[in-house]
Amino acid sequence: MKTRLLPFPLAAFLTLSAPAFSEGIQLTIEGVRNNAGNVLVLVFDNAKDYEALNYWNAVGYAEISAQTGIVRHNFSALNEGPYAVFLFHDENGDEDLNTRGNHLLEGVGGSGAPNREDDPNFSQASVLPGKVTVGVHYDK
Protein backbone atom coordinates (compact mmCIF):
# COMPACT_ATOMS: atom_id res chain seq x y z
CA MET A 1 0.00 0.00 0.00
CA LYS A 2 1.36 3.39 -0.98
CA THR A 3 1.16 6.36 1.32
CA ARG A 4 0.47 9.72 -0.28
CA LEU A 5 1.48 12.92 1.39
CA LEU A 6 -0.53 16.08 0.91
CA PRO A 7 1.30 19.13 -0.42
CA PHE A 8 2.33 21.37 2.48
CA PRO A 9 -0.02 24.32 1.67
CA LEU A 10 -3.04 21.99 1.46
CA ALA A 11 -2.10 20.13 4.64
CA ALA A 12 -1.64 23.45 6.49
CA PHE A 13 -5.01 24.75 5.26
CA LEU A 14 -6.84 21.60 6.35
CA THR A 15 -5.19 21.71 9.76
CA LEU A 16 -6.03 25.37 10.32
CA SER A 17 -9.59 25.14 9.04
CA ALA A 18 -10.55 22.02 11.01
CA PRO A 19 -12.70 22.72 14.07
CA ALA A 20 -10.80 22.60 17.34
CA PHE A 21 -11.74 19.93 19.84
CA SER A 22 -13.87 21.37 22.60
CA GLU A 23 -12.23 22.11 25.89
CA GLY A 24 -15.44 22.21 27.87
CA ILE A 25 -17.32 25.34 28.77
CA GLN A 26 -15.15 28.44 28.94
CA LEU A 27 -17.38 30.64 31.09
CA THR A 28 -17.09 34.43 31.22
CA ILE A 29 -19.21 36.20 33.83
CA GLU A 30 -19.82 39.90 33.20
CA GLY A 31 -21.13 42.61 35.51
CA VAL A 32 -19.99 41.47 38.96
CA ARG A 33 -20.50 44.60 41.07
CA ASN A 34 -17.86 44.11 43.77
CA ASN A 35 -15.15 41.85 45.21
CA ALA A 36 -17.27 40.57 48.12
CA GLY A 37 -17.83 36.84 48.51
CA ASN A 38 -17.94 34.33 45.67
CA VAL A 39 -19.78 33.68 42.46
CA LEU A 40 -21.46 30.27 42.70
CA VAL A 41 -22.00 28.52 39.37
CA LEU A 42 -24.19 25.50 38.66
CA VAL A 43 -24.25 23.71 35.29
CA PHE A 44 -27.09 21.34 34.43
CA ASP A 45 -27.58 18.85 31.61
CA ASN A 46 -31.36 18.39 31.91
CA ALA A 47 -34.48 20.53 32.24
CA LYS A 48 -35.88 18.92 35.39
CA ASP A 49 -32.83 19.64 37.56
CA TYR A 50 -32.16 23.05 35.99
CA GLU A 51 -35.68 24.35 36.51
CA ALA A 52 -35.75 23.04 40.11
CA LEU A 53 -32.16 24.29 40.67
CA ASN A 54 -31.42 20.88 42.13
CA TYR A 55 -27.76 21.51 42.92
CA TRP A 56 -27.26 17.88 43.98
CA ASN A 57 -27.67 16.86 40.33
CA ALA A 58 -25.61 19.62 38.75
CA VAL A 59 -22.96 18.26 36.38
CA GLY A 60 -20.71 21.26 37.07
CA TYR A 61 -20.20 23.41 40.17
CA ALA A 62 -17.72 26.14 41.00
CA GLU A 63 -17.16 28.73 43.71
CA ILE A 64 -15.15 31.55 42.18
CA SER A 65 -13.74 34.50 44.11
CA ALA A 66 -15.73 37.55 43.11
CA GLN A 67 -13.98 40.46 41.48
CA THR A 68 -15.46 43.61 40.06
CA GLY A 69 -16.26 43.37 36.36
CA ILE A 70 -15.37 40.08 34.72
CA VAL A 71 -14.80 36.63 36.25
CA ARG A 72 -13.80 33.52 34.28
CA HIS A 73 -13.90 29.78 34.89
CA ASN A 74 -13.35 26.73 32.69
CA PHE A 75 -15.42 23.55 33.08
CA SER A 76 -12.99 21.45 31.02
CA ALA A 77 -14.77 18.13 31.59
CA LEU A 78 -18.11 19.31 30.16
CA ASN A 79 -17.75 18.36 26.51
CA GLU A 80 -21.14 16.89 25.58
CA GLY A 81 -24.11 19.23 26.08
CA PRO A 82 -26.41 20.86 25.83
CA TYR A 83 -25.96 22.52 29.21
CA ALA A 84 -27.69 25.34 31.08
CA VAL A 85 -25.76 27.61 33.45
CA PHE A 86 -27.19 29.31 36.54
CA LEU A 87 -25.09 31.48 38.82
CA PHE A 88 -25.38 33.94 41.65
CA HIS A 89 -23.06 36.38 43.37
CA ASP A 90 -23.02 35.22 46.99
CA GLU A 91 -21.80 38.51 48.42
CA ASN A 92 -22.17 37.57 52.10
CA GLY A 93 -20.77 34.02 51.79
CA ASP A 94 -23.79 32.20 53.22
CA GLU A 95 -24.24 30.03 50.09
CA ASP A 96 -27.89 31.15 49.78
CA LEU A 97 -29.42 33.52 47.25
CA ASN A 98 -30.70 36.26 49.54
CA THR A 99 -33.96 38.07 48.86
CA ARG A 100 -36.20 40.56 50.63
CA GLY A 101 -39.77 39.95 49.56
CA ASN A 102 -39.65 39.67 45.76
CA HIS A 103 -36.38 41.61 45.46
CA LEU A 104 -33.01 39.99 44.98
CA LEU A 105 -30.32 41.21 47.37
CA GLU A 106 -27.60 39.39 45.41
CA GLY A 107 -26.96 39.14 41.69
CA VAL A 108 -28.09 36.27 39.45
CA GLY A 109 -27.44 35.20 35.88
CA GLY A 110 -28.19 32.45 33.44
CA SER A 111 -27.00 31.26 30.07
CA GLY A 112 -29.22 32.04 27.12
CA ALA A 113 -30.86 35.05 28.75
CA PRO A 114 -31.36 37.76 26.09
CA ASN A 115 -31.46 40.33 28.91
CA ARG A 116 -29.85 39.96 32.31
CA GLU A 117 -33.28 40.17 33.99
CA ASP A 118 -34.67 37.21 32.03
CA ASP A 119 -35.24 33.78 33.54
CA PRO A 120 -34.91 31.36 30.59
CA ASN A 121 -36.16 27.78 30.67
CA PHE A 122 -33.73 24.93 29.95
CA SER A 123 -34.34 24.98 26.22
CA GLN A 124 -33.68 28.74 26.03
CA ALA A 125 -30.68 28.50 28.36
CA SER A 126 -29.07 25.57 26.56
CA VAL A 127 -25.51 26.06 25.35
CA LEU A 128 -22.95 23.76 23.82
CA PRO A 129 -19.35 23.48 24.97
CA GLY A 130 -17.22 26.43 23.98
CA LYS A 131 -17.22 30.08 24.98
CA VAL A 132 -20.24 31.03 27.10
CA THR A 133 -20.89 34.50 28.51
CA VAL A 134 -23.37 35.18 31.31
CA GLY A 135 -24.27 38.61 32.64
CA VAL A 136 -25.14 39.21 36.29
CA HIS A 137 -28.37 41.05 37.17
CA TYR A 138 -28.86 42.90 40.47
CA ASP A 139 -32.25 44.27 41.58
CA LYS A 140 -30.62 46.97 43.71
Side-chain angles (χ1 to χ4, degrees):
M1 181 168 156
K2 251 185 171 176
T3 303
R4 296 181 83 194
L5 296 176
L6 293 174
F8 177 75
L10 180 58
F13 172 77
L14 291 174
T15 302
L16 294 174
S17 64
F21 289 103
S22 176
E23 293 187 25
I25 294 176
Q26 297 116 40
L27 180 63
T28 299
I29 304 162
E30 297 179 338
V32 178
R33 72 175 167 193
N34 59 46
N35 297 339
N38 295 308
V39 177
L40 304 183
V41 182
L42 297 163
V43 182
F44 298 94
D45 65 354
N46 69 76
K48 180 182 171 191
D49 292 324
Y50 170 75
E51 291 171 13
L53 292 179
N54 183 350
Y55 58 87
W56 292 106
N57 290 334
V59 295
Y61 174 79
E63 289 184 34
I64 309 160
S65 294
Q67 59 186 45
T68 303
I70 295 177
V71 177
R72 290 187 170 85
H73 186 78
N74 189 18
F75 291 94
S76 59
L78 300 181
N79 289 303
E80 298 292 322
Y83 301 106
V85 177
F86 172 82
L87 60 85
F88 75 96
H89 181 187
D90 183 23
E91 292 177 275
N92 63 1
D94 68 354
E95 297 184 354
D96 283 323
L97 177 58
N98 300 128
T99 60
R100 182 173 297 131
N102 290 331
H103 295 285
L104 295 169
L105 300 177
E106 297 175 309
V108 298
S111 56
N115 298 304
R116 291 183 182 183
E117 303 85 27
D118 290 343
D119 184 16
N121 63 33
F122 183 81
S123 178
Q124 296 164 325
S126 291
V127 296
L128 294 174
K131 293 181 181 182
V132 175
T133 301
V134 175
V136 182
H137 165 73
Y138 297 88
D139 279 351
K140 294 183 177 191

